[in-house]
Amino acid sequence: MVFRTRRLAVASVAVAAATALVAGCASGTGGSTSGADGDTLTLWTHNAGNSAELDVVKKIIKDFNGSQSKYKVKLQAFPQSDYNNSVVAAASARKLPCLLDVDGPNVANWAWGGYLAPIDVSGSEVPLSDQLPSTVGRYQGKVYGFGFYDVSLAFFARKSVLNEYGIRIPTIDKPWTKAEFDSALAELKKSGKFEYPLEMGTGGTGEWWSYAYSPQVQSFGGDLIDRDGYKTASGTLDGKNSVQWATWFRSLVSKGYMAKKSGADPNKDFLAGKSAIQWDGSWNAAKNADKLGDDLAIIPPVDFGDGPRIGGASWQWAMSSTCSNKDGAQAWLKFSRQTKYFVDYAKTTGTLPGTEAAAKQVDGYQAGGKFNVLVQFARKYAVVRPVTPAYPYISTEFEKAAQDILSGADPENALGQAAKDIDNNLKTNNYYAG
């Protein structure tokens, strides 16, 4: 699976769509309804360019339509690059479909904006309580979406390289500390074998920056926003712990451990031996194992002082607030919640099964399997991105600040400006009340 394809599928936020969403006000009730023509319901997905995942969606629709005669679901697939803009435009025109997928970090924004209706999938084959917590989208105590899979960040390395330089191979029970990690990078740099011993995908854009690096901020003890009320970023995003992360992040470049901007395909560079350690995702685990075999080390995130952290939440299924046949929409959602479909998603997309029952049926992900550690990472370390309608704006501001820091901006000033801009956005939108 191509790094860029899966990375974007993890957490895409189209900037124009995000801006339109955040700048708007809640407006989702009243007016015309849409999304269904009688008992025929339209379903939108972002998977037009992802044939593997789209095939699973088509299978569920075909099975549902064949299982009963009351409702019929019809599919409309969009290229991922156009999807969020299409949703925004349809919402403005009150022409949303009944069923649609939504990137996990955007659930709160779309729910606040009135795009989504709460769902009730009680009585499904798979209870929500059986899922990875990060695969259920909640806002203000209500469920608005659920996903069939998640992904997990991890470090990849060659065991032989780590052993050659006397670097301990971490375990889930004993991850690297900051001191160990810094020492390992220094040793690898000193070897002269690697121009940049660490690869962290700094050539990426968009949501990758928040997905990949904000968990490190959290491991330092900082965060993107004060989650107690979600009313201010000041004192948190630009607080002491966050500034310590930013200073360390910049030092990776200044010490020559990491490129300011990585190549177009960081995983390809890692497999070619250009880097010794790569911060990447579970979507490349199988490819790496095929190439490196038993020499592949799948390593947990570093504990920078406040525990190891990774991002959580991927694409989820939801129901629009303007759907004129909510009974039919919820019937499809409930039908889809069968273990066999959780298995299908994981097998065809290389993602983490959303339930333990599904993991037992996916080669490598069952207990004792070579990729099961990634499921453990997701269960033990995942932190969902801030559950606030302001999140798309927060993510954009964090990306800008982090990029500026790598380019040499003062960490405290860059994070301080981002925090001020976020606070101004919160105030302008009345803290997204309602």
Side-chain angles (χ1 to χ4, degrees):
M1 186 169 294
V2 177
F3 173 84
R4 181 173 295 275
T5 299
R6 177 48 54 194
R7 184 180 73 209
L8 291 176
V10 171
S12 67
V13 175
V15 174
T19 302
L21 280 167
V22 175
C25 59
S27 60
T29 56
S32 63
T33 58
S34 60
D37 180 9
D39 289 325
T40 298
L41 299 87
T42 302
L43 176 149
W44 281 10
T45 178
H46 72 286
N47 281 311
N50 185 348
S51 59
E53 189 165 342
L54 185 60
D55 284 347
V56 179
V57 178
K58 290 178 178 178
K59 179 180 179 181
I60 298 173
I61 291 174
K62 181 180 178 181
D63 290 352
F64 173 74
N65 289 344
S67 71
Q68 43 74 51
S69 57
K70 186 172 183 180
Y71 306 113
K72 180 180 179 181
V73 172
K74 65 177 183 179
L75 172 70
Q76 186 170 357
F78 294 77
Q80 186 170 301
S81 59
D82 298 335
Y83 182 72
N84 283 355
N85 286 331
S86 298
V87 171
V88 172
S92 298
R94 306 199 64 76
K95 297 293 186 182
L96 283 171
C98 272
L99 295 159
L100 67 165
D101 56 7
V102 51
D103 200 5
N106 289 345
V107 168
N109 188 287
W110 289 17
W112 167 82
Y115 297 10
L116 307 180
I119 59 174
D120 177 9
V121 291
S122 58
S124 305
E125 178 183 308
V126 178
L128 289 172
S129 58
D130 284 2
Q131 291 194 217
L132 288 169
S134 59
T135 63
V136 180
R138 291 184 169 89
Y139 177 60
Q140 294 187 338
K142 296 178 180 178
V143 175
Y144 283 90
F146 66 84
F148 290 87
Y149 58 81
D150 206 346
V151 289
S152 173
L153 286 164
F155 286 107
F156 295 113
R158 290 169 171 82
K159 295 175 185 176
S160 57
V161 170
L162 299 182
N163 290 332
E164 180 180 354
Y165 295 102
I167 299 168
R168 180 179 70 85
I169 300 175
T171 64
I172 194 168
D173 295 322
K174 193 177 180 182
W176 278 325
T177 63
K178 178 181 180 297
E180 280 186 292
F181 188 49
D182 290 346
S183 176
L185 294 176
E187 190 70 23
L188 291 164
K189 180 67 175 180
K190 187 174 67 175
S191 74
K193 185 176 179 179
F194 308 97
E195 181 180 4
Y196 299 112
L198 177 64
E199 173 57 76
M200 290 218 294
T202 50
T205 57
E207 184 62 15
W208 170 249
W209 283 74
S210 292
Y211 177 70
Y213 311 131
S214 67
Q216 295 173 347
V217 179
Q218 293 156 355
S219 185
F220 267 85
D223 209 339
L224 300 179
I225 189 173
D226 183 350
R227 299 197 187 210
D228 184 10
Y230 295 101
K231 292 187 175 180
T232 181
S234 295
T236 300
L237 179 56
D238 59 350
K240 178 183 69 174
N241 294 331
S242 297
V243 171
Q244 286 178 351
W245 164 79
T247 302
W248 170 82
F249 193 53
R250 170 61 191 168
S251 77
L252 296 175
V253 172
S254 60
K255 292 179 179 179
Y257 296 162
M258 177 182 77
K260 183 172 72 173
K261 183 177 181 179
S262 62
D265 192 337
N267 187 243
K268 183 178 179 180
D269 290 343
F270 165 69
L271 290 177
K274 292 184 179 181
S275 55
I277 301 172
Q278 185 194 10
W279 183 233
D280 196 12
S282 52
W283 50 89
N284 275 325
K287 180 197 292 184
N288 293 347
D290 289 343
K291 173 77 173 181
L292 302 179
D294 291 339
D295 196 29
L296 175 66
I298 301 176
I299 296 171
V302 174
D303 182 351
F304 290 106
D306 204 40
R309 298 285 186 268
I310 61 172
S314 192
W315 288 90
Q316 301 175 3
W317 288 102
M319 176 176 66
S320 73
S321 61
T322 53
C323 176
S324 59
N325 194 333
K326 290 185 171 61
D327 288 344
Q330 295 201 127
W332 185 85
L333 291 169
K334 289 183 180 181
F335 177 87
S336 73
R337 297 182 52 75
Q338 299 181 49
T339 296
K340 64 182 180 180
Y341 298 133
F342 283 81
V343 172
D344 288 342
Y345 269 106
K347 284 184 175 180
T348 58
T349 63
T351 51
L352 305 184
T355 69
E356 288 189 5
K360 292 177 181 178
Q361 299 181 42
V362 182
D363 186 41
Y365 289 90
Q366 65 271 63
K370 57 187 174 182
F371 303 128
N372 182 259
V373 67
L374 293 164
V375 179
Q376 295 181 55
F377 292 173
R379 289 197 175 276
K380 190 170 184 178
Y381 302 140
V383 178
V384 296
R385 279 147 282 179
V387 185
T388 167
Y391 177 74
Y393 186 86
I394 293 170
S395 179
T396 300
E397 289 301 305
F398 176 74
E399 177 190 2
K400 181 179 182 299
Q403 289 178 338
D404 287 348
I405 288 163
L406 284 192
S407 295
D410 178 76
E412 190 169 1
N413 290 343
L415 292 178
Q417 186 61 53
K420 289 177 184 176
D421 290 343
I422 291 167
D423 283 0
N424 183 60
N425 177 270
L426 292 166
K427 292 175 184 176
T428 299
N429 287 282
N430 193 29
Y431 303 98
Y432 295 88

